[in-house]
Amino acid sequence: MSLTAGIVGLPNVGKSTLFNAITKQKILAANYPFATIDPNVGIVTVPDERLDFLNNLYEPKSLVPTTFEFTDIAGLVKGASNGEGLGNKFLAHIREVDAIVEVVRCFEDSNITHVDGKIDPIRDIETINAELAIADLEVIENRINRIGKKAAMSKDKETKFEIDLLNKIKENLEKNVAIRQLQLSQDEQKLIKSFNLLTAKPIIYMANISEEDLITGENEYTKKVDEYAKTEDAKVIKVSAKIESELCDLTDEEKDIFLSDLGIKEGGLDKLIKATYDLLGLATYFTAGSDEVRAWTFKKGMKAPECAGIIHTDFEKGFIKAEIMSFEDLKAQGNEKKVREAGKMRLEGKEYVMQDGDICYFKFNK
């Protein structure tokens, strides 16, 4: 599954520096707006300790972790929805991602100018969210104008359903209420899916703090961001762009030592990926053997045939059964043979809902 998160933020909040560190790419990071003009895409490996165990057990020829795609999108300024800065080009890039990671400046540094002259994370958040809402409002109003007369004259239930939904969304957007905050039914979500509305996308706030504040994990600015995020049931990840920049050049062993010396258990990348996975309702299953051990991303709630289809569409079309053991059972028993002897290996059919950590062998008709 190709899954993407767009990293957004006002100019000079540390967005591109964080992106560089996260994806270990060296794109332009400059102390002025629009240093990143075109979206930069980085593929990152999803950290998973279970892969290490499977790799040691099977000693495969190939080890393939699952990946996540991060897109660094050019800095936004107030008025983007009206064409200011990079305007609609910026907004169009956001429409293509599955989730939004909004980087918020929560550090003081006289050497790095703020686009509005003063550090105020809530103002920054509201600036970006307002631009996204205005852009969505334009889409909604255009759609209402196209079908409004038809809805008024027609008795068609589907048209009335759509116009009622559009009006509900419009009223909320005008009050600065994001679509993701509305309790929409499955039918309502399905109807607006093709619109790629910006405020419908799940969001994580990434508070960029100083190295000193990373030790405690908060400061006066992050406390405000935490309170704001609670109002829309969003998560906040605290990271230091400076620390992440230093971490990206270290080996895994050196990284662990570095973090341990700082009294930090987990780097910003790991925290971000885990939070994004949770936000999007994602999980991981594995295929394992002497040729290859591989992790696969799927959405929670997917059934076995759908998950088989992630590997190849023929697997889903010809699905018969799935032979499955859980990672925890394999780890507890030590090897596949002992899992079978313990009666922990299962045959599951088309209605089986896949679970995180399942290790699968799919059987299908060719």
Side-chain angles (χ1 to χ4, degrees):
M1 296 180 71
S2 178
L3 295 155
T4 62
I7 302 179
V8 304
L10 293 173
N12 301 341
V13 298
K15 177 178 61 65
S16 292
T17 302
L18 281 165
F19 177 83
N20 287 346
I22 286 170
T23 62
K24 297 186 179 180
Q25 293 189 30
K26 302 300 179 185
I27 61 169
L28 177 63
N31 183 22
Y32 56 88
F34 317 129
T36 310
I37 296 176
D38 292 313
N40 291 271
V41 178
I43 307 296
V44 299
T45 298
V46 176
D48 196 323
E49 293 178 355
R50 296 173 296 187
L51 271 179
D52 296 331
F53 177 87
L54 295 175
N55 189 41
N56 291 331
L57 178 64
Y58 288 94
E59 298 182 344
K61 298 174 185 175
S62 174
L63 178 68
V64 185
T66 188
T67 58
F68 203 99
E69 185 176 293
F70 284 97
T71 302
D72 179 38
I73 301 170
L76 174 68
V77 294
K78 188 174 182 179
S81 56
N82 294 320
E84 293 293 328
L86 295 175
N88 292 328
K89 185 176 182 181
F90 168 91
L91 298 171
H93 291 148
I94 305 179
R95 294 195 189 281
E96 298 170 6
V97 304
D98 298 301
I100 295 172
V101 178
E102 188 170 321
V103 181
V104 186
R105 180 171 171 174
C106 293
F107 67 91
E108 296 277 1
D109 190 331
S110 59
N111 295 317
I112 302 176
T113 59
H114 189 287
V115 70
D116 287 321
K118 181 183 176 183
I119 309 301
D120 185 342
I122 304 306
R123 178 203 57 212
D124 294 353
I125 289 173
E126 290 178 343
T127 294
I128 289 182
N129 290 353
E131 294 302 323
L132 302 184
I134 292 168
D136 278 352
L137 195 55
E138 182 179 356
V139 172
I140 295 297
E141 288 176 339
N142 286 341
R143 181 62 180 169
I144 289 174
N145 290 337
R146 281 198 296 271
I147 70 167
K149 289 183 179 179
K150 178 183 176 183
M153 297 173 63
S154 172
K155 293 183 179 180
D156 181 63
K157 290 183 179 179
E158 291 184 6
T159 305
K160 186 178 186 306
F161 178 78
E162 180 176 356
I163 200 70
D164 288 345
L165 173 59
L166 294 174
N167 282 321
K168 178 171 74 173
I169 291 174
K170 179 177 180 291
E171 289 172 8
N172 280 281
L173 287 174
E174 289 173 341
K175 297 174 185 176
N176 292 318
V177 178
I179 296 169
R180 61 178 168 271
Q181 294 176 259
L182 305 180
Q183 298 297 316
L184 300 183
S185 68
Q186 287 188 345
D187 287 340
E188 288 175 326
Q189 292 176 31
K190 186 178 179 181
L191 194 152
I192 64 170
K193 187 176 181 180
S194 63
F195 296 166
N196 281 329
L197 296 165
L198 303 173
T199 66
K201 296 181 184 296
I203 194 167
I204 289 176
Y205 294 106
M206 196 175 207
N208 185 12
I209 60 181
S210 68
E211 179 180 345
E212 295 75 23
D213 289 332
L214 190 62
I215 308 301
T216 60
E218 65 178 15
N219 59 31
E220 60 176 302
Y221 299 127
T222 62
K223 290 176 183 177
K224 293 178 181 178
V225 175
D226 283 333
E227 288 301 314
Y228 183 93
K230 284 179 184 177
T231 64
E232 53 180 50
D233 198 26
K235 287 190 175 182
V236 179
I237 303 295
K238 282 101 171 179
V239 300
S240 166
K242 183 179 178 182
I243 292 294
E244 293 301 320
S245 294
E246 294 176 21
L247 285 174
C248 73
D249 294 322
L250 303 179
T251 64
D252 288 342
E253 185 177 350
E254 290 171 335
K255 190 183 298 182
D256 290 339
I257 294 172
F258 186 93
L259 291 173
S260 179
D261 288 343
L262 290 174
I264 301 169
K265 294 181 180 180
E266 196 172 28
L269 169 61
D270 290 359
K271 290 192 289 185
L272 177 59
I273 290 178
K274 288 177 182 177
T276 309
Y277 252 55
D278 183 57
L279 184 71
L280 294 174
L282 304 178
T284 303
Y285 77 84
F286 304 94
T287 51
S290 58
D291 285 336
E292 180 185 81
V293 167
R294 184 164 184 161
W296 303 86
T297 299
F298 70 98
K299 288 200 172 185
K300 292 175 183 178
M302 288 178 68
K303 295 182 179 179
E306 294 176 279
C307 287
I310 294 172
I311 299 175
H312 197 288
T313 54
D314 288 347
F315 283 27
E316 182 174 5
K317 292 175 183 176
F319 181 89
I320 302 173
K321 294 282 184 181
E323 191 174 42
I324 296 175
M325 59 180 163
S326 73
F327 173 81
E328 292 304 323
D329 285 339
L330 177 61
K331 186 177 181 180
Q333 298 299 325
N335 59 50
E336 274 191 37
K337 182 180 178 182
K338 290 183 180 179
V339 171
R340 292 180 187 278
E341 290 173 351
K344 300 289 187 178
M345 185 72 78
R346 318 183 307 273
L347 274 179
E348 301 288 358
K350 293 181 178 181
E351 295 304 310
Y352 175 71
V353 178
M354 291 284 283
Q355 300 298 309
D356 182 61
D358 279 348
I359 302 170
C360 310
Y361 300 94
F362 293 110
K363 300 184 179 182
F364 65 101
N365 286 318
K366 295 182 180 179

